[in-house]
Amino acid sequence: MSTAELIFVLVKAWLVTGAFVSVIFLTIGIDQIDEDAQDAYVFRPLLVPAILLIWPLVLWRWYVLKTGRDNPMSRFHPVRKAHDVVAVMLAAAIIAALVAGFSVRQTWPADADPVQLSEKSESSK
Amino acid sequence: MSVKYVPVQWNRNKWMYDGFLLVGVGLFLGFFLHIRPDFLSGNDPRINAQILNARAFGVCAFLMLSIILSIGPLARLDPRFSALLYNRRHFGVMTAAVALTHFGFILNWYFAFSKSNKYEALLFANTNYGQIAGFPFEMFGLFALICLLILSTTSHDFWLKFLTAPVWKRLHYLIYPAYAAVVAHVALGMLQDASGNVFPALFVVAALIVAGLHVAAFVHDRRHGDPVAEPVAEGWFRICKASDIREGRARIGLLPNGERVAVFRQDDKLSAISNACAHQNGPLGEGRIVDCLVTCPWHGFNYDVRSGRSPAPFTEKIPTYNLKVHDAEVYVDPNANEPGTYVEPVEVPPLEGEA
């Protein structure tokens, strides 16, 4: 099995597990942990794509809320401190990407014959 | 604000907002696909309709993402831009849809004719991660797309309440690495096509604007951040003078535990509530009181500043704080009350000129 095939299998396993979690959560769990969701069914299919992607987070929050471990005051602690660091890192990353892109950009005529920059792919070897 | 969840909380403003967005995306794509396709193809006959579609949707997604990322720092630099935050989630969902369409065109052209599964072909077609020229830039795009899908699929208000605003915000910080990845994706991908200058110019200007706005907002926050509350005797913290607070407005104080408190003046009585809205932790202290209720400047959630409760039938609650006024100075107890706890407002002398 190639690395690409292995990654593809793992992704499928992740999504299938997410589908299983979404069925259980949207039929049983959601009514137990959110009173605003009780008797509200039309919006539930909209939650499925997110559960497929972040099901471990869903299971963790479900557990925290169901077992009464949620700290209601934690909802009022905005994550503002990290914002400064993220803003500077984003700007630095943008500059780095632009420099990298322009440093290897080629200026030959558009109709020049293409040149193979990378090695041939696994399938064509 | 909701009592029971509905699929999408549309109202007239949101219909208009989404309508403008759709028209804007349609006009953009129409221009680059039908009026000036040469901007993206450089009149190269090898650029067929499939590739042109992929490029047009890709450029559109990049510019939409650039606009979304510019709104936050703009709102911090000038509160008048806060109105643009309204319905930004719909903007994000539409951006993810445009990016997904770009992905579809790419996958079904460049990788569709492989003997292998096209998704696997995307992963193994180029594995030269050790070089800049010829780097598999598709992986940057794939990473950004996964981030955008996570952000757009978790945009419903259910996720805000279920995950809590701080966790939801942390998750949505993915927008930053996603944008950096998109810039790298374009810089090592389409920018390498030397056949045109319109797109490279557009790309560089947009990326530098996003970077510049974030640095400017960072500097602005450092210079004009919320004042730190000063500790005084018996655990109380000084926020400001009572006369510093205008009628219907608040002064914000940063408490030692990192929480922000907003002290409001309403009819010459002071009340203190958490500065963080229960919805997305928007800065309530930057809102103003209308009909006894403070309105969050981000999405319009309302709270009674005396109790921290949203008006019925809504159920949102935020913490309140005990406060006292001594020698015209306002002091706050940093130990917040349970969300929704009523605190009797403290009377203060009328402001000069308003008595």
Side-chain angles (χ1 to χ4, degrees):
Chain A
M1 180 182 277
S2 69
T3 308
E5 286 173 323
L6 177 65
I7 293 172
F8 190 59
V9 167
L10 291 175
V11 169
K12 280 199 290 190
W14 180 280
L15 294 176
V16 168
T17 309
F20 180 74
V21 171
S22 68
V23 169
I24 305 295
F25 180 69
L26 294 177
T27 53
I28 300 171
I30 195 169
D31 292 301
Q32 299 173 343
I33 50 88
D34 192 340
E35 59 186 18
D36 289 346
Q38 290 166 5
D39 301 324
Y41 300 102
V42 182
F43 86 103
R44 296 188 188 195
L46 279 182
L47 308 183
V48 173
I51 301 173
L52 294 181
L53 295 172
I54 60 162
W55 56 265
L57 192 55
V58 172
L59 290 177
W60 169 66
R61 281 299 301 169
W62 185 4
Y63 168 76
V64 167
L65 290 166
K66 179 72 178 157
T67 54
R69 293 165 192 259
D70 186 41
N71 175 9
M73 298 303 286
S74 68
R75 293 177 177 271
F76 306 98
H77 288 273
V79 284
R80 293 175 58 156
K81 277 186 180 173
H83 213 273
D84 287 351
V85 180
V86 169
V88 173
M89 287 176 66
L90 173 66
I94 288 172
I95 302 295
L98 290 177
V99 169
F102 277 106
S103 69
V104 294
R105 191 176 191 228
Q106 309 188 29
T107 54
W108 53 41
D111 57 354
D113 289 333
V115 174
Q116 178 88 31
L117 289 172
S118 53
E119 290 180 17
K120 289 184 177 177
S121 65
E122 289 180 33
S123 64
S124 58
K125 281 178 182 172
Chain B
M1 302 172 78
S2 66
V3 178
K4 291 290 178 195
Y5 294 120
V6 293
V8 184
Q9 283 188 320
W10 264 310
N11 57 34
R12 187 170 172 273
N13 289 335
K14 290 186 179 180
W15 278 113
M16 287 178 61
Y17 189 112
D18 293 348
F20 276 117
L21 269 182
L22 269 177
V23 170
V25 169
L27 289 175
F28 183 92
L29 293 174
F31 180 79
F32 280 102
L33 288 175
H34 302 296
I35 298 175
R36 294 303 301 268
D38 55 304
F39 281 170
L40 294 178
S41 69
N43 288 320
D44 185 340
R46 291 169 295 186
I47 305 298
N48 61 18
Q50 187 85 359
I51 299 174
L52 193 62
N53 274 323
R55 289 187 174 189
F57 275 88
V59 173
C60 187
F62 169 72
L63 288 180
M64 291 174 80
L65 203 54
S66 300
I67 294 171
I68 289 173
L69 267 159
S70 298
I71 293 173
L74 274 174
R76 294 214 305 283
L77 290 168
D78 187 336
R80 284 176 294 183
F81 286 103
S82 294
L84 296 176
L85 292 166
Y86 183 76
N87 213 30
R88 188 169 54 162
R89 281 181 288 168
H90 287 206
F91 203 152
V93 171
M94 208 174 289
T95 303
V98 173
L100 194 59
T101 310
H102 163 74
F103 174 73
F105 279 122
I106 294 291
L107 198 67
N108 290 308
W109 178 252
Y110 291 109
F111 303 97
F113 308 110
S114 166
K115 284 178 286 187
S116 307
N117 176 316
K118 58 189 175 185
Y119 298 99
E120 291 172 16
L122 171 64
L123 296 172
F124 70 59
N126 180 5
T127 52
N128 295 284
Y129 291 96
Q131 58 192 56
I132 297 178
F135 187 90
F137 66 94
E138 298 89 346
M139 293 307 113
F140 284 123
L142 189 60
F143 169 76
L145 182 66
I146 293 169
C147 291
L148 291 182
L149 291 176
I150 291 174
L151 303 190
S152 60
T153 56
T154 56
S155 62
H156 193 278
D157 269 350
F158 164 80
W159 293 107
L160 268 163
K161 186 178 176 190
F162 176 63
L163 298 174
T164 72
V167 173
W168 188 87
K169 284 281 181 191
R170 284 188 179 95
L171 185 65
H172 281 235
Y173 266 29
L174 280 174
I175 191 72
Y176 298 105
Y179 188 77
V182 167
V183 174
H185 173 67
V186 179
L188 299 179
M190 194 178 163
L191 189 68
Q192 301 305 313
D193 179 356
S195 59
N197 288 319
V198 174
F199 175 71
L202 200 65
F203 165 64
V204 172
V205 169
L208 288 179
I209 286 175
V210 171
L213 282 173
H214 278 82
V215 172
F218 165 75
V219 173
H220 179 270
D221 285 354
R222 284 292 171 105
R223 290 182 180 168
H224 307 286
D226 297 324
V228 178
E230 302 165 22
V232 293
E234 298 167 2
W236 291 82
F237 280 73
R238 179 187 174 278
I239 303 297
C240 61
K241 290 183 177 178
S243 58
D244 291 339
I245 308 173
R246 290 185 290 147
E247 179 62 32
R249 294 284 187 172
R251 287 294 294 262
I252 301 167
L254 179 60
L255 298 172
N257 57 8
E259 294 175 13
R260 282 175 168 78
V261 59
V263 182
F264 280 90
R265 176 190 286 260
Q266 180 190 1
D267 298 332
D268 294 323
K269 290 178 180 173
L270 300 184
S271 298
I273 57 174
S274 166
N275 189 50
C277 177
H279 178 228
Q280 274 197 38
N281 288 170
L284 289 173
E286 294 174 21
R288 63 191 176 96
I289 295 177
V290 177
D291 294 335
C292 301
L293 300 169
V294 62
T295 303
C296 179
W298 282 7
H299 300 98
F301 278 55
N302 292 328
Y303 301 92
D304 186 327
V305 292
R306 298 166 300 180
S307 63
R309 289 175 181 266
S310 290
F314 304 109
T315 54
E316 283 78 11
K317 292 181 288 189
I318 55 171
T320 56
Y321 289 84
N322 297 326
L323 64 83
K324 67 180 183 181
V325 176
H326 183 66
D327 287 342
E329 302 278 355
V330 180
Y331 301 91
V332 164
D333 179 351
N335 300 307
N337 298 312
E338 287 287 309
T341 303
Y342 181 88
V343 176
E344 189 65 31
V346 177
E347 200 156 343
V348 289
L351 294 168
E352 285 183 22
E354 294 185 9

